Each structure stands twice: as C-alpha cells, then as structure tokens.
C-alpha cells in the first residue's frame, strides 16, 4: 500500500515553468493505493472515481487510455521510457481524500502513489526527486497537461511540519519549518477550475514571448529593470505576465526569509501582493477567489492569504494564528458567503511527509 499527499503552495505561483522558485508544502490530505500483482491487465477501482480503464503496463502508449487511468498508465509508460525495465501489472484499490477540483494536486498525488508502488515492486531504486521528474513527464507527454514540476516535487518530497523551497531549475530543495503556532487553512471556493487548461497553456506561451523580447532563455534570468526599459518591445499583456513572474520570484525568496525571521507582517504583505499580481497582471484569479482572499485578509488571526495553484477557481491558502483558527473560519465563511452568494468550505491542515510505501506489494 502506498500513500501520496496533496499540496498547497504558500507562494511562488506560475514560476515553475519559468525556471523560478516555489514554496509549497505537502499536506495531510492523501491518496491511498492498495495494490497486488496480477498476471492479467492492470485494473484499478476507486469509490470516488469508479473503475479505471484496464491497461497493460508494458504495452500501453499515449492516447490509448481515457479517464483517470491516464495517470497510473502515464506513470508506467514514463517509468518504462526512463528505465527500460518491465513492470508488474497491478490490481489496485484507490481511496482519495482529495477532491479533484479544489486545486490541491490530486493528479500529482495519484501519479506519485503509483510511482512509489512500481519503484518498490520492480526494485527500480529511484529517488523521490527522480520519481517526481518521471511523473511530470507522464503528465506532460501522456496525460497532455503541460504543467511545471512543483506539484510532483511537493508531493514526492514533503516533510512533516515543513514547507519546501524549490529551485525549479536545479531542483535543489531546502526545508523550512512552519512554526507550530501557525496553521494552514484551505479556503475552498467550491468553484471548479474551469478554463485552467487552455489559459495555462496560453500563459506559458506569453512567458515565452516575453523571453524572446528580452533575449533571455527563461524569465528566471530577467530583471525588472530590463523589462521596464524594454516595455515598448512587447504587448501590454506580455509585459504584465513577465512582470508577475519576475516579481513573484523575488516575493518567494523574501517570503522564505520572512518566515525564518518570523516577520508576520511581511508574510502577510507578500501573500497579498502575490494574490494581487496574479489577479491584475497574470489574470488567473476569479471573482470567487478574490472574494475569498478579501474575506480572509479581514478575518481575525489571519497572517496572510492568497489564491493557491493554477487559478480560475479552486482554493485560497491562508496562514492563520493557531489559537484563532475557529474565529478566522467563522468570519471568512460569513464574509465569503455574503460577497459571493455561495458557500465555501474550510479545512485546517498540516504539512506532511511526501509519497511513500506503507506496506510492500506482495
Ligand atoms: C499547476 C501546475 C504547476 C504550477 C501551478 C501554478 O498546479 O501543475 O506546475 O505551474 O499550476 O503555480
């Protein structure tokens, strides 16, 4: 049996596919996969997702499966591509405490749950960082979603009580303790992440256009000063996208420092600035995410809050003084309902360990 967590991102949004910095944490909301080897095709069932399309781990290729089987099948395919080793087919039961639409990376968790299972069952000996890369390949080339590496890295490398500062270029990671008296509260708008796929790819393209205009390989290498001095060489939209990425990388680094120094005021300002930049410059927020962030900013005990993940629906993440979580939720819930006319849902969670084996496949 394997277990793989979801993730929240504290700051550093839409920076990972620009070789930038991210600061996510794996959370104690998991996917569990209980598997045993079979001589037939791989079959997978889940109470929430239903039965997956059966596939043969050693024969399956992109485009041949639909539905949620694309995630395990994609991982099997990417593992074969990178190791050349045959894998055992599995009979698996999957249980998920992660709803697919709230933006907590249920797809990365599903991928990692099977990656660690096959890694162990076939004796591949790959590290969790290697598995994260393989899962990203599965998602990019098999599932067809051009995501960055943040979700897979967070899900693979999470550590209890810690957030992970990741340099997405080198994949160097540094763990940072989240103080015991600060809680992570997921403030879910309940709005599905419509548009996320097409708008995500469009943003990636606009970042590439900014790189071309600035003559840099990635926006990680761009300076705000250069962007400002060359504003006339790109469209206003491309300028705004690049402005977000460059400033968000700086905010991410400042945030890690502020957390280390326990500068709560600064943490709050940085999270708010991140949300505003995602709303006004990157344009990936939504009215409901804005209502939620605004409701959280004004609530008792709130250190900081912002949208988390790709955007266009999903959830905000708030850092809240632990002793005031109840009052925070009460107030945010009421204000969000008043502003949006809909109900949100609120979950306090803890930073958790990354994907691992609970019981060997026999
Ligand atoms: C999604 C992607 C990540 C990252 C975020 C935005 O979650 O899977 O790679 O790009 O959006 O920060």
């Amino acid at each position: 049996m394997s277990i793989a967590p979801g993730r929240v991102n504290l700051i550093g949004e839409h920076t990972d596919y620009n070789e930038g910095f991210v600061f996510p944490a794996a959370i104690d909301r998991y996917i569990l996969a209980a598997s045993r080897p079979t001589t037939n095709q791989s079959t997978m069932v889940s109470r929430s997702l239903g039965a997956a399309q059966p596939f043969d781990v050693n024969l399956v290729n992109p485009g041949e499966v639909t539905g949620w089987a694309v995630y395990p099948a994609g991982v099997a395919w990417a593992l074969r591509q990178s190791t050349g080793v045959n894998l055992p087919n599995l009979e698996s039961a999957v249980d998920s405490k992660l709803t697919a639409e709230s933006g907590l990376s249920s797809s990365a968790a599903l991928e990692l749950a099977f990656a660690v299972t096959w890694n162990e069952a076939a004796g591949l000996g790959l590290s969790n960082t290697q598995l994260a890369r393989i899962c990203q390949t599965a998602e990019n080339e098999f599932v067809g979603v051009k995501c960055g590496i943040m979700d897979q890295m967070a899900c693979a490398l999470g550590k209890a009580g810690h957030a992970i500062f990741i340099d997405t270029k080198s994949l160097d990671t540094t763990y940072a303790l989240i103080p015991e008296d600060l809680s992570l509260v997921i403030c879910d708008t309940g709005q599905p992440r419509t548009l996320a796929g097409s708008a995500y790819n469009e943003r990636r393209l606009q970042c590439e256009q900014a790189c071309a205009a600035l003559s840099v390989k990635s926006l990680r290498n761009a300076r705000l000063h250069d962007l400002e001095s060359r504003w006339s060489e790109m469209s206003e939209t491309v300028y705004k996208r690049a402005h977000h990425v460059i400033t968000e990388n700086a905010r991410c680094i400042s945030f890690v420092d502020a957390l280390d120094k326990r500068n709560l005021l600064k943490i709050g300002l940085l999270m708010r600035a991140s949300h505003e930049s995602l709303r006004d410059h990157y344009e990936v927020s939504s009215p409901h995410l804005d209502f939620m962030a605004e409701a959280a900013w004004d609530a008792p005990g709130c250190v900081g809050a912002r949208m988390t993940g790709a955007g266009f629906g999903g959830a905000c993440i708030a850092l809240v003084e632990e002793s005031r979580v109840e009052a925070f939720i009460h107030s945010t819930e009421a204000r969000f309902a008043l502003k949006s006319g809909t109900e949100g849902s609120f979950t306090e969670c803890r930073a958790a360990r990354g994907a691992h084996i609970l019981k060997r496949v026999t």
Side-chain angles (χ1 to χ4, degrees):
M1 174 142 53
S2 65
I3 184 166
R7 66 98 188 89
V8 292
N9 188 20
L10 293 177
I11 201 160
E13 212 68 82
H14 287 279
T15 47
D16 61 351
Y17 50 86
N18 292 296
E19 298 190 332
F21 307 108
V22 294
F23 195 43
I27 53 170
D28 56 355
R29 296 293 179 280
Y30 305 98
I31 285 186
L32 287 166
S35 306
R36 61 175 179 221
T38 172
T39 49
N40 301 317
Q41 286 196 316
S42 287
T43 52
M44 289 153 189
V45 290
S46 145
R47 203 181 311 155
S48 51
L49 302 168
Q53 182 186 331
F55 60 91
D56 189 302
V57 271
N58 295 308
L59 299 175
V60 72
N61 280 308
E64 292 175 359
V65 286
T66 55
W68 69 273
V70 290
Y71 298 105
V75 170
W77 173 81
L79 279 169
R80 264 169 38 220
Q81 299 289 307
S82 83
T83 65
V85 173
N86 272 355
L87 304 170
N89 273 301
L90 299 174
E91 238 174 55
S92 309
V94 173
D95 187 34
S96 177
K97 295 275 175 290
L98 290 167
T99 45
E101 281 309 331
S102 50
L104 302 176
S105 283
S106 56
S107 51
L110 195 51
E111 290 155 9
L112 261 304
F114 282 97
V116 294
T117 300
W118 275 309
N119 190 37
E120 189 262 328
L124 301 177
L126 297 169
S127 69
N128 272 22
T129 302
Q130 289 171 311
L131 293 178
R133 267 202 194 282
I134 286 167
C135 289
Q136 187 202 13
T137 303
E139 182 119 5
N140 289 171
E141 292 174 30
F142 197 100
V143 181
V145 176
K146 300 281 169 218
C147 64
I149 190 122
M150 170 173 73
D151 303 346
Q152 287 78 11
M153 283 290 283
C155 177
L157 297 175
K159 180 170 166 184
H162 292 72
I164 321 164
F165 177 73
I166 307 170
D167 176 336
T168 64
K169 186 176 183 194
S170 64
L171 292 193
D172 285 348
T173 55
T174 313
Y175 291 104
L177 188 70
I178 303 175
E180 286 271 318
D181 58 347
L182 293 187
S183 290
L184 300 171
V185 181
I186 299 163
C187 309
D188 192 348
T189 63
Q191 303 295 304
R193 292 173 304 129
T194 45
L195 262 178
S198 55
Y200 189 90
N201 290 340
E202 188 188 56
R203 296 300 180 282
R204 288 196 70 141
L205 207 67
Q206 289 160 342
C207 290
E208 284 166 24
Q209 289 167 354
C211 287
L214 296 169
S215 316
V216 289
K217 190 176 147 279
S218 77
L219 285 178
R220 179 209 181 95
N221 304 114
R223 300 282 157 262
L224 197 54
H225 170 77
D226 298 327
L227 178 71
E228 281 164 356
S229 64
R230 295 173 81 166
W231 64 273
S232 60
E233 291 166 44
M234 63 196 91
S235 71
E236 192 189 335
T237 303
V238 169
Y239 176 90
K240 288 200 295 188
R241 305 301 187 246
H243 191 279
H244 167 74
V245 175
I246 296 169
T247 56
E248 184 76 354
N249 273 330
R251 278 188 291 271
C252 189
I253 292 170
S254 302
F255 187 99
V256 177
D257 183 57
L259 188 66
D260 186 47
K261 299 199 170 95
R262 214 191 147 77
N263 186 340
L264 301 187
L265 182 65
K266 187 149 186 208
I267 287 175
L269 291 173
L270 288 166
M271 288 180 91
R272 186 175 182 135
S274 170
H275 184 90
E276 289 171 346
S277 176
L278 288 157
R279 182 190 66 197
D280 302 336
H281 287 155
Y282 220 64
E283 296 176 281
V284 291
S285 189
S286 69
H288 281 79
L289 284 169
D290 295 341
F291 292 144
M292 186 63 91
E294 286 158 20
W297 292 335
D298 290 341
C302 182
V303 174
R306 53 179 287 280
M307 55 156 276
T308 188
F312 296 103
C316 287
I317 177 70
L319 265 178
V320 182
E321 291 165 33
E322 211 224 335
S323 58
R324 298 170 84 188
V325 166
E326 221 174 289
F328 168 83
I329 292 179
H330 193 68
S331 161
T332 309
E333 191 167 29
R335 282 176 214 233
F336 175 74
L338 202 66
K339 287 184 184 204
S340 71
T342 58
E343 276 184 28
S345 62
F346 299 82
T347 324
E348 186 182 359
C349 65
R350 298 243 145 235
R353 179 177 168 190
H356 59 282
I357 297 290
L358 289 175
K359 191 164 172 272
R360 293 173 66 90
V361 176
T362 45

